[in-house]
Amino acid sequence: MGASAFVPGHVTVFFSPHWADEPAATGATGAGLTLDHGVEVEVEPAGRTSVTVNGEPAGMAPVERVLTVLERPAEVAVETPLPIGAGFGVSGAATLAAALAADATAGGGRTENELIAAAHRAEVESGTGLGDVVAQARGGVPIRLAAGGPERGRLDGIPAAGRIEYLSLGTVDTPAVLGGDTAPVAAAGDRALETLSAEPTLPALFAAGRRFAREADLRSERVTAVVEDVVQAGGEATMAMLGEAVVALGRGLSDVGYDATTTHIHPGGATLREPVV
Amino acid sequence: MGASAFVPGHVTVFFSPHWADEPAATGATGAGLTLDHGVEVEVEPAGRTSVTVNGEPAGMAPVERVLTVLERPAEVAVETPLPIGAGFGVSGAATLAAALAADATAGGGRTENELIAAAHRAEVESGTGLGDVVAQARGGVPIRLAAGGPERGRLDGIPAAGRIEYLSLGTVDTPAVLGGDTAPVAAAGDRALETLSAEPTLPALFAAGRRFAREADLRSERVTAVVEDVVQAGGEATMAMLGEAVVALGRGLSDVGYDATTTHIHPGGATLREPVV
């Protein structure tokens, strides 16, 4: 008996990492956009866990870890239109979707918060992400007010709907960046969260993101140039954290001639798919 | 500049009312199902608030109240396929959708939690509901672990997707029921929440609902007869709280010959609609 789940993509716009002894209290405050472009996962129980991504065998440490913790080894087929390792939360989405679907294959018995907590811990312990899972569980435009899994974290959101464009220029090694000195990043992220809380709108989110990228010194020249092209033309764009990628509101990227991909703010969060009868 | 929002319907399966001096801490613990059948609201700013439901002028106290508190008087057009006053959360959905859309007409500036809190308070102060708004904001199959608005409440959910059928047999006067002696209801609701927490699955939710309806003495003979028809045939059904209505999993009602309406568990919560450009 297989099961399927969908989890939206997630672009972090700014963040402040919070480290704790417990993985449940480790995570990141910040804000971002969840996207209609996300991850579809099909799970079939199996003797040991294996993962394919868009049909190709792939190692995905947090997926393997969460299924071990849940004691649900399975064949996991991940399908996604998103670029991988580029700041779109594919790893968090695959981990949360695999947890939801794997629990369902056994008739359920765990709550959403329990499965979100397990997926969050698996991402933290694998060093692949700090805040995607809880954001993807909520959907919309999540603000992470307190870091950590559902036991410890606290969320709000910017009410919003609309078209988003994105452009991926390459990959970033998340574990390498998160393993370095993150104090300047944390300070910039805390300031951005304060600014956004005073004016929780989409334009303010993009402006906070641009300032964060500059202050935290995370921008490449290529990303900076693309963001500036969009802003010069009156659009809203910012860098996807952590990725060599740009996201823009509406037609911000295509209006200035980039061959961008179109998606939308996703209205909901992670969800099981209805079994096809 | 108008704006639109969608909020899923919500059937409470069991509940325990919690009264406090503050409306933000007043509410209900319990569990229920959010539904694809919901409420679409269009809001146009106006000098004073007026409401239509499916094209007909209608009084909706919590909608008027929330727009007064938000200082956004508006013409509010509510469209819904759901029966009204029958336990499907139309009043909570209209109030939350009106709050989201009215804030958007002015360019936004309030967070989701702020708008959910305002809608929750308006429902509580109007005596029209205790737990629908926070459940509808989350979507899925929400479990309300702690009562109240987002400042005080605590939510979890049963991971689930699937077809739901419903049958409305008449209306119930929510303010009259909530104004009576609710101690037996609270005791039954607390027991149901404990049972569901030990086994958070859809079949356990329906079983807890049937036991709650019996122990809280809220069933009419008609509702009891329909629920028993479905259960006798091996299906899952329970009463919609507070309504003269029955909800069933899958094809539970149509399989035993009732002319039921079909909808599905809604995967997401309340959301703005993207403006049509």
Side-chain angles (χ1 to χ4, degrees), chain A residues 100 107-113 115 138 143 155-163 200-201 264 267-275, chain B residues 100 107-115 138 143 155-163 200-201 264 267-275:
Chain A
L100 282 163
R110 291 185 175 91
T111 68
E112 289 178 342
N113 289 358
L115 294 167
R138 180 181 177 106
I143 307 173
L155 295 170
D156 199 345
I158 298 174
R163 176 186 170 119
T201 66
H264 290 79
T271 183
L272 282 176
R273 290 298 195 195
E274 189 165 351
Chain B
L100 282 164
R110 290 184 176 91
T111 68
E112 289 179 342
N113 289 357
E114 287 167 354
L115 295 167
R138 181 182 176 105
I143 307 173
L155 296 170
D156 200 345
I158 298 173
R163 177 185 169 119
T201 66
H264 290 79
T271 183
L272 283 175
R273 289 299 194 194
E274 187 164 354

Side-chain angles (χ1 to χ4, degrees), chain B residues 35 39 56 94 144 152 166 169 171 181 184 209 215-217 223 231 254 257:
Chain B
L35 305 175
V39 167
E56 299 293 324
R144 285 166 280 129
R152 307 291 290 273
Y166 63 86
L169 303 162
T171 62
D181 173 19
E215 292 181 355
D217 199 17
V223 162
V231 173
S254 56

Side-chain angles (χ1 to χ4, degrees), chain A residues 81-150:
Chain A
L82 290 168
I84 293 163
F88 291 86
V90 170
S91 132
T95 305
L96 180 52
L100 282 163
D103 192 57
T105 60
R110 291 185 175 91
T111 68
E112 289 178 342
N113 289 358
E114 287 165 354
L115 294 167
I116 297 163
H120 173 77
R121 271 198 302 272
E123 272 263 282
V124 168
E125 288 172 350
S126 304
T128 44
L130 287 172
D132 286 329
V133 167
V134 295
Q136 289 165 322
R138 180 181 177 106
V141 183
I143 307 173
R144 285 166 279 130
L145 296 169

Side-chain angles (χ1 to χ4, degrees), chain A residues 165 167 226 229-230 233 251-261:
Chain A
E165 290 183 345
L167 185 66
V226 174
D229 281 349
V230 175
R251 298 171 189 275
L253 281 159
S254 56
D255 274 351
V256 290
Y258 288 102
D259 186 19
T261 306

Side-chain angles (χ1 to χ4, degrees), chain B residues 82-226:
Chain B
L82 291 168
I84 292 161
F88 290 86
V90 170
S91 133
T95 306
L96 180 53
L100 282 164
D103 192 57
T105 61
R110 290 184 176 91
T111 68
E112 289 179 342
N113 289 357
E114 287 167 354
L115 295 167
I116 298 163
H120 174 77
R121 273 199 299 274
E123 272 263 283
V124 168
E125 288 171 352
S126 304
T128 43
L130 287 173
D132 286 329
V133 167
V134 294
Q136 289 165 322
R138 181 182 176 105
V141 183
I143 307 173
R144 285 166 280 129
L145 296 168
E151 316 91 324
R152 307 291 290 273
R154 203 154 46 83
L155 296 170
D156 200 345
I158 298 173
R163 177 185 169 119
I164 297 289
E165 290 183 346
Y166 63 86
L167 185 66
S168 175
L169 303 162
T171 62
V172 163
D173 186 352
T174 301
V177 176
L178 294 183
D181 173 19
T182 55
V185 174
D190 292 345
R191 280 193 296 273
L193 187 56
E194 221 169 287
T195 307
L196 186 69
S197 297
E199 191 190 343
T201 66
L202 283 186
L205 173 67
F206 277 81
R210 291 192 294 272
R211 187 171 158 184
F212 168 79
R214 190 173 68 239
E215 292 181 355
D217 199 17
L218 290 168
R219 301 179 305 174
S220 72
E221 276 178 36
R222 280 194 305 174
V223 162
T224 306
V226 175

